[in-house]
Amino acid sequence: MAAALFALSSPLLLAAAAITWALSGRSPFVAHRRIGLGGEPFWVFKLRTMWESGVRKPFCIVEYLPVSSVCVQKTKSDPRIRSRFAAFCRRYSVDELPQLFQVLEGRLALVGPRPITEEEMRVHYSGGGQLLSVKPGLTGLWQIHGRGELTYPQRRRLDLFLIQNFSFSLYAHILLKTPGRVLSGRGAW
């Protein structure tokens, strides 16, 4: 399924990468450090949707962001979202498409708790025992029940519910609900 989604979305992703590079003058993709299965750190790739104003950097395909530059809490009016195109990509999750490749690699599952940063783990998940016992996913319960509108305690409860009650029917329910939620753009910024 991930391979089919990746193949179908590749033209959109390539076009979005070209537009992003033209608008930002920076690498079209960024990598954020996250924590995966068993506490193993890995890089999550996304389409760049945020950038500071200033001098253009030399072209590279992916910019690996330092841990300190990863925003812990999303906001509706982040000044680093500098174009309508970037806002569109965030609202409709176009920026998440590179993660389909990571599903193919085996780093992410299609469904699971979202991969989080070390800072999020320390502040919001206090050790994360259960969270680290499963592979993180591209979508999960909080992506279909509020997305960015949810608080960290709400996200944590939904992630833990997903882990504790994982079943084929819950997995299928999340997969079927995700496209409609993404296409609605509700709760995403």
Side-chain angles (χ1 to χ4, degrees), residues 22-38:
L23 291 172
S24 70
R26 291 173 169 79
S27 61
F29 300 103
V30 293
H32 297 165
R33 192 93 165 147
R34 302 297 167 98
I35 305 298
L37 179 63

Side-chain angles (χ1 to χ4, degrees), residues 162-183:
L162 175 61
I163 293 166
Q164 294 163 359
N165 297 284
F166 200 82
S167 66
F168 179 76
S169 61
L170 182 57
Y171 188 98
H173 171 76
I174 293 168
L175 280 179
L176 291 173
K177 289 282 189 178
T178 296
R181 190 60 152 156
V182 166
L183 292 175

Side-chain angles (χ1 to χ4, degrees), residues 30-172:
V30 293
H32 297 165
R33 192 93 165 147
R34 302 297 167 98
I35 305 298
L37 179 63
E40 180 184 335
F42 71 104
W43 294 99
V44 170
F45 298 103
K46 296 182 79 171
L47 183 70
R48 180 187 297 278
T49 57
M50 296 181 172
W51 57 88
E52 305 289 342
S53 61
V55 180
R56 291 178 171 239
K57 295 184 177 183
F59 180 77
C60 64
I61 296 294
V62 178
E63 180 181 345
Y64 290 82
L65 300 176
V67 173
S68 61
S69 71
V70 177
C71 182
V72 173
Q73 183 65 48
K74 294 180 181 182
T75 62
K76 286 183 181 181
S77 58
D78 193 309
R80 296 171 298 166
I81 303 171
R82 298 197 161 274
S83 72
R84 285 185 178 170
F85 180 74
F88 172 87
C89 288
R90 293 177 68 82
R91 183 172 187 89
Y92 297 103
S93 298
V94 175
D95 62 325
E96 306 281 347
L97 291 176
Q99 293 174 43
L100 286 169
F101 181 74
Q102 292 179 286
V103 174
L104 293 174
E105 276 186 328
R107 291 272 187 198
L108 290 173
L110 278 176
V111 175
R114 286 292 286 166
I116 60 174
T117 66
E118 289 180 20
E119 177 74 6
E120 288 171 317
M121 177 70 74
R122 186 179 58 74
V123 173
H124 301 289
Y125 288 82
S126 62
Q130 285 187 315
L131 188 69
L132 301 178
S133 69
V134 298
K135 193 180 290 189
L138 184 59
T139 188
L141 279 175
W142 67 264
Q143 288 75 28
I144 64 169
H145 292 290
R147 297 172 85 180
E149 297 170 341
L150 299 177
T151 64
Y152 270 103
Q154 291 170 319
R155 292 176 187 184
R156 182 178 186 277
R157 278 194 300 277
L158 287 170
D159 278 342
L160 292 176
F161 181 89
L162 175 61
I163 293 166
Q164 294 163 359
N165 297 284
F166 200 82
S167 66
F168 179 76
S169 61
L170 182 57
Y171 188 98

